[in-house]
Amino acid sequence: MSKATARGGVPRRPGDEDDICPVCKSSRYLNPNMRFLVNPECYHKMCESCVDRIFSQGPAPCPVAGCNRTLRKQRFRKQTFEDIQVEREVDIRKRVAKVFNRRQDEFETLDDYNDYLEEVETLTFNLLNGVDVSATESKLTEYATQNASIISRNATLEHQESANLEARQAAEREEARLRREAARKEEEDEKKAREEGRKEVLEQLVHGNKPAADVVKESKRVELLKRRRAQQSRALPALPSGTPSANSNPFTFKGLKSTAAPTPEKPYDPFGGLTDERSYYTLQDYYEHPWLDRARTDTHITAGGYTVTEYCARAMFEAFSGLGVFVGEEVAGRGDLPGGNGAGDAVAAAEAAARAEKGVS
Amino acid sequence: MALSPAIPSPHTSNTNSVTAKVKTLNMGGGAAPQNTTSTAGQGQELAEQLNDETKKKYVKDKKIGEGTYAIVYLGHLRADPKSKVAIKKIKVNAEYREGLSLDAIREVKFLQELSHPNIPALYSVFSSKNQNLNLVLEYLPLGDLEQLIRDVDGVRYGSADVKAWMGMLGRAVWFCHENFVLHRDIKPNNLLIAADGEVKLADFGLARSFSDPYRVMTHQVITRWYRPPELLFGARYYSGAVDVWSMGTVFAELIIRTPFLAGNSDVHQLELICQFVGTPNDDNWPGVSKLPDYVPFGKDGSQSYPVRGRDFYLQTFSTVGPVGVDLLMSMLSLDPRKRATAREILNHKWWATDPAPTKKEDLPKKGGGGEARMAEDLKRRAGELEDGRGAKVARILDFSGMK
Ligand SMILES: Nc1ncnc2c1ncn2[C@@H]1O[C@H](COP(=O)(O)OP(=O)(O)O)[C@@H](O)[C@H]1O
Ligand SMILES: [Mg+2]
Ligand SMILES: [Zn+2]
Ligand SMILES: [Zn+2]
């Protein structure tokens, strides 16, 4: 067995055995471009020019003393592993694995699969270590002929899987990037649209069908919301300066408070102890507003699932959130709440929300 | 914010574990400047000071995850070495001139607003050098649902477990929608698992608020396998129904333990939807042909599939029983307007049907060599040797004794 030469990228000294061709004895010292090749038939190493000289005319016996195996030029190749033993082992393993390529899902149990693997490993071991070589080789050939179709099917599967995996991973990365990009653009567009929002108010005053007082009132409400939002964003600890968070989106609400998890004895509550009842208003099924009509009827808008109802729900919520600043008065003026909620509950809710707000800010 | 659409029901206590946690972990760090009229200069100084204070409170330990836009570290409170937090550091990116990605801002904004047991708590935010944004999040140590689904050998689970997980996902989505937030990236690997088994809907990097009428939204959201047909057809006006479709595909995947509709391109995704759900047309989905990227399937000789009936679902998803199958079908309606809403989902009778959902502390966890096996898979993918087979053999059996 040749001496192990596992020394990675360490530069070699001239005169080292690795730098002398065992066949023609020429050395890298004189010929710095010298490359060594091996043939998987015997793994005897020789330089490129020896291979050219000896095997260009056709198959010839290996020049290494005592070897005599017939070698073909086209099977010579560069060594992948520095250690010839490793090189040879990898080759043998590849050859065996090509034939014994059963997949785990072909076996009833993991144990069966492991038994199979163990048998294959015994076979490989024999080939690697020269035990029963000819018997083992014929076993391999016999198996290969008998199972040719399964082998090729599994090879295809394996190939597809590795190709798919790589392609899929690359594609997924790219898509994730595009998604983020699109979302970013969306946000920028909206920001722009919002900046133009003020213009809209004026335009509505000029062309709109709403009475001027309404428009002004509405824009006041928006202002109020904005102020509260600005406060909230200040409450966010230490966003670096230059953050466009406060001005970009007007729908920031927090403080939805959930209750303690229900005790295990209680029946399962899919809502986890929360209710969605609104104590301050009842949502109507329909809010009349000419501006909304097209969004209700144009199939280009509705076919994707967009609903004005969701918008109205949000608009109502926001309207009352804005008024929430005066929550004390709000609550006091409300004895007869829809949905059976008494004023006491509303106060509790308001208090809970206020507490929640303090808790997070 | 004094009002919330979801208020505590009168019969339960007001103490909330999540809020309590926020308080203990956020000791003083989040204090807001009281004087809102201070000049910009003063405000900035104060902000910097607060930032430094917050930053000093946390210590980063080791890296535990990496996404497209962030590196996630395990960390702890300096004052309490036993505490655990996840610190999500948003990668700096040259394309964001302001030094901040909008993903990060979305994530901060929505996580801050949405305080719920099935949404990871955001404890704090600070910036580190180079204006890197760091989100201090509730640490969720037990991996994600994808890992459980994929580990077929290591993790066994049944319909009671699926019901519990779907219930937690349902609450999270309902809560988002109740607060007018679309998540837009629901998939098993964004469903992270807390130490007590609670599943939390994470990664709000693509979330947004419900849009105003006539305002377009991007259709390039939601990972393809979980993306609803309206987005694949390029709809620019949509609703919470997009998240519900994702929920449906996650539900199906939990049952069959393999992605239900695993398309390898957008067109292929639509083909799979046609085949396994039904071919969309103006009869089963009025107006679908008006969507921007609509292409007729099932015309010109190619096969058109009727919308799958209950029989198909009963066969394929039998383990959740007929009531569960009804729920699944309601989530996978082609027409988003006919799809169940998150609230309708939680009101469904499946939750009250036997078996009851598993208690979160009894849910199957990853393990049983699951992690080791995953590491192996990764190694195999890296594949220094091109023959994956030989390499695998060598790992499953130990041949170290071989000369
Ligand atoms: N709170 C957390 N606790 C534990 N691990 C987390 C947490 N958040 C994220 N991770 C890990 O980091 C990975 C990337 O996080 P994610 O938020 O999905 O980033 P991205 O937005 O880039 O996809 C996740 O897959 C998960 O493994
Ligand atoms: Mg993610
Ligand atoms: Zn030579
Ligand atoms: Zn030889």
Side-chain angles (χ1 to χ4, degrees):
Chain A
M1 190 193 288
S2 78
K3 204 177 99 198
T5 49
R7 52 172 99 106
V10 180
R12 294 172 198 137
R13 282 156 289 137
D16 208 314
E17 68 172 49
D18 287 346
D19 291 313
I20 296 171
C21 172
V23 177
C24 65
K25 312 288 180 207
S26 74
S27 93
R28 196 191 291 278
Y29 185 64
L30 298 170
N31 178 9
N33 294 327
M34 189 167 72
R35 285 206 316 154
F36 291 109
L37 300 175
V38 294
N39 190 307
E41 205 58 50
C42 65
Y43 293 97
H44 286 130
K45 184 173 82 171
M46 61 197 82
C47 75
E48 218 167 355
S49 67
C50 282
V51 172
D52 279 341
R53 193 181 68 251
I54 302 168
F55 301 98
S56 284
Q57 307 305 316
C62 175
V64 172
C67 177
N68 283 327
R69 270 171 216 263
T70 305
L71 307 180
R72 273 157 233 277
K73 188 180 172 192
Q74 90 248 18
R75 293 206 64 201
F76 275 93
R77 52 150 214 243
K78 252 170 57 189
Q79 235 175 284
T80 313
F81 297 94
E82 199 158 356
D83 189 332
I84 287 288
Q85 285 306 112
V86 173
E87 181 92 22
R88 178 170 164 270
E89 172 162 350
V90 168
D91 282 346
I92 290 177
R93 284 190 178 279
K94 270 188 194 166
R95 192 157 63 90
V96 173
K98 233 184 197 157
V99 172
F100 289 93
N101 64 354
R102 293 278 181 184
R103 304 160 66 82
Q104 184 167 352
D105 57 21
E106 291 178 74
F107 295 87
E108 295 276 340
T109 66
L110 183 62
D111 278 350
D112 293 338
Y113 181 53
N114 266 331
D115 290 347
Y116 158 83
L117 290 177
E118 193 155 351
E119 204 157 305
V120 174
E121 192 53 37
T122 312
L123 191 140
T124 313
F125 180 90
N126 289 349
L127 293 179
L128 285 173
N129 297 278
V131 183
D132 293 335
V133 173
S134 66
T136 310
E137 285 287 1
S138 62
K139 242 162 107 184
L140 190 87
T141 320
E142 195 184 332
Y143 178 88
T145 21
Q146 277 171 9
N147 298 282
S149 70
I150 292 165
I151 291 168
S152 84
R153 185 203 66 183
N154 284 350
T156 314
L157 279 175
E158 211 163 303
H159 176 75
Q160 274 172 0
E161 277 166 11
S162 64
N164 283 352
L165 183 72
E166 266 165 48
R168 217 180 65 217
Q169 284 175 340
E172 273 169 17
R173 272 193 304 276
E174 176 60 12
E175 277 179 21
R177 198 186 60 76
L178 288 175
R179 275 200 301 279
R180 307 272 167 165
E181 194 96 314
R184 190 161 62 90
K185 178 148 185 322
E186 177 186 52
E187 190 139 337
E188 272 165 14
D189 290 350
E190 261 175 54
K191 197 175 151 190
K192 225 179 282 159
R194 291 236 156 70
E195 278 158 10
E196 283 161 16
R198 196 173 315 189
K199 241 187 278 166
E200 262 170 46
V201 173
L202 289 176
E203 264 161 39
Q204 273 186 33
L205 281 173
V206 179
H207 308 290
N209 18 32
K210 275 194 236 176
D214 281 4
V215 174
V216 174
K217 206 159 83 197
E218 195 168 287
S219 75
K220 273 226 181 85
R221 201 196 80 216
V222 172
E223 275 312 305
L224 192 63
L225 275 171
K226 274 190 187 152
R227 272 215 319 268
R228 290 194 53 73
R229 242 170 272 121
Q231 280 166 13
Q232 275 175 19
S233 77
R234 247 171 259 122
L236 208 178
L239 264 185
S241 50
T243 302
S245 69
N247 54 3
S248 59
N249 201 316
F251 312 124
T252 58
F253 302 104
K254 66 177 171 191
L256 287 188
K257 194 166 162 71
S258 64
T259 53
T263 50
E265 285 70 31
K266 279 191 190 163
Y268 181 77
D269 172 9
F271 289 84
L274 294 178
T275 76
D276 57 359
E277 277 161 37
R278 282 136 173 100
S279 339
Y280 288 78
Y281 57 94
T282 336
L283 206 55
Q284 248 114 71
D285 292 336
Y286 190 86
Y287 290 89
E288 201 176 308
H289 198 304
W291 182 60
L292 296 173
D293 286 348
R294 194 167 69 79
R296 282 193 171 106
T297 52
D298 185 347
T299 34
H300 293 95
I301 293 174
T302 57
Y306 186 84
T307 73
V308 169
T309 321
E310 278 179 356
Y311 167 72
C312 290
R314 201 191 74 209
M316 282 299 282
F317 173 60
E318 277 164 15
F320 281 87
S321 306
L323 294 171
V325 183
F326 317 105
V327 72
E329 297 158 42
E330 255 322 282
V331 169
R334 226 162 257 272
D336 52 341
L337 287 160
N341 276 343
D345 294 333
V347 175
E351 280 172 4
R355 251 199 311 281
E357 186 178 19
K358 267 190 226 132
V360 220
S361 63
Chain B
M1 188 62 9
L3 273 189
S4 58
I7 61 159
S9 64
H11 307 294
T12 41
S13 119
N14 273 329
T15 46
N16 167 354
S17 57
V18 171
T19 316
K21 248 186 278 173
V22 172
K23 278 179 193 155
T24 47
L25 278 154
N26 205 12
M27 304 171 292
Q34 290 307 303
N35 183 1
T36 52
T37 56
S38 68
T39 65
Q42 284 169 330
Q44 200 154 325
E45 252 170 49
L46 189 49
E48 265 166 37
Q49 197 184 322
L50 283 168
N51 183 53
D52 285 348
E53 273 169 28
T54 312
K55 187 164 74 183
K56 271 194 226 127
K57 282 201 328 204
Y58 298 98
V59 182
K60 269 184 200 153
D61 298 319
K62 61 173 201 239
K63 181 173 154 180
I64 49 171
E66 181 155 9
T68 338
Y69 281 80
I71 302 176
V72 181
Y73 299 88
L74 175 63
H76 65 268
L77 269 174
R78 197 176 292 283
D80 178 8
K82 282 202 287 291
S83 63
K84 278 188 171 143
V85 294
I87 302 179
K88 182 168 175 174
K89 181 172 128 185
I90 311 294
K91 291 178 192 170
V92 264
N93 192 327
E95 69 189 282
Y96 305 119
R97 270 152 284 113
E98 285 160 303
L100 257 186
S101 92
L102 275 159
D103 300 311
I105 293 162
R106 283 168 200 277
E107 189 137 14
V108 169
K109 195 177 76 163
F110 291 115
L111 285 179
Q112 198 192 209
E113 287 159 19
L114 301 169
S115 162
H116 186 271
N118 299 109
I119 293 169
L122 176 68
Y123 299 135
S124 211
V125 184
F126 62 88
S127 66
S128 53
K129 52 181 177 312
N130 308 328
Q131 296 278 326
N132 273 343
L133 192 63
N134 293 265
L135 318 194
V136 184
L137 295 159
E138 174 182 8
Y139 174 55
L140 303 167
L142 295 184
D144 57 58
L145 272 192
E146 186 183 20
Q147 290 168 10
L148 297 188
I149 293 170
R150 300 282 176 273
D151 187 5
V152 180
D153 297 320
V155 178
R156 296 272 139 89
Y157 61 75
S159 69
D161 306 316
V162 171
K163 192 176 286 183
W165 286 324
M166 281 308 294
M168 298 190 267
L169 169 58
R171 285 174 193 176
V173 175
W174 169 73
F175 192 79
C176 287
H177 290 184
E178 216 42 57
N179 286 279
F180 316 106
V181 172
L182 302 174
H183 184 278
R184 304 198 300 181
D185 203 11
I186 296 170
K187 56 177 170 180
N189 84 7
N190 279 338
L191 291 163
L192 306 186
I193 306 170
D196 63 355
E198 194 83 56
V199 165
K200 314 220 175 196
L201 177 57
D203 200 348
F204 279 70
L206 287 175
R208 61 158 293 148
S209 301
F210 286 12
S211 89
D212 290 346
Y214 314 112
R215 187 156 284 159
V216 297
M217 293 181 269
T218 167
H219 61 282
Q220 304 215 60
V221 283
I222 307 187
T223 304
R224 189 190 297 122
W225 297 349
Y226 309 94
R227 198 183 302 158
E230 65 268 29
L231 294 184
L232 291 159
F233 283 143
R236 309 305 301 272
Y237 309 96
Y238 50 84
S239 66
V242 298
D243 286 337
V244 172
W245 177 277
S246 306
M247 270 173 88
T249 51
V250 170
F251 189 12
E253 180 167 341
L254 276 166
I255 301 166
I256 59 177
R257 299 196 72 157
T258 190
F260 176 42
L261 303 165
N264 51 36
S265 68
D266 288 359
V267 171
H268 186 219
Q269 189 67 32
L270 277 164
E271 284 167 0
L272 291 176
I273 290 174
C274 291
Q275 195 181 339
F276 291 102
V277 183
T279 305
N281 57 44
D282 279 318
D283 294 327
N284 58 34
W285 178 355
V288 62
S289 60
K290 301 270 175 36
L291 292 176
D293 302 338
Y294 172 77
V295 269
F297 285 82
K299 296 252 166 78
D300 306 324
S302 76
Q303 197 177 344
S304 172
Y305 303 89
V307 173
R308 292 277 181 176
R310 214 156 165 256
D311 288 351
F312 163 78
Y313 285 90
L314 279 172
Q315 249 173 34
T316 316
F317 305 101
S318 59
T319 42
V320 290
V323 184
V325 156
D326 285 343
L327 177 60
L328 174 62
M329 287 176 72
S330 73
M331 298 180 190
L332 294 179
S333 159
L334 291 172
D335 185 342
R337 288 161 297 187
K338 296 186 197 120
R339 219 170 281 154
T341 62
R343 185 183 305 139
E344 283 162 0
I345 288 166
L346 292 188
N347 278 322
H348 200 271
K349 45 181 196 303
W350 188 53
W351 311 107
T353 312
D354 262 359
T358 312
K359 285 184 208 138
K360 64 183 178 191
E361 56 275 16
D362 300 332
L363 282 165
K365 297 190 167 93
K366 75 170 181 182
E371 244 174 331
R373 198 169 302 120
M374 234 189 35
E376 261 168 26
D377 282 348
L378 285 175
K379 252 190 253 165
R380 189 165 67 239
R381 280 180 202 180
E384 326 80 11
L385 310 179
E386 61 190 66
D387 57 335
R389 206 86 201 158
K392 190 175 171 189
V393 170
R395 265 199 303 280
I396 290 185
L397 302 168
D398 184 11
F399 301 106
S400 50
M402 211 178 71
K403 289 279 135 50

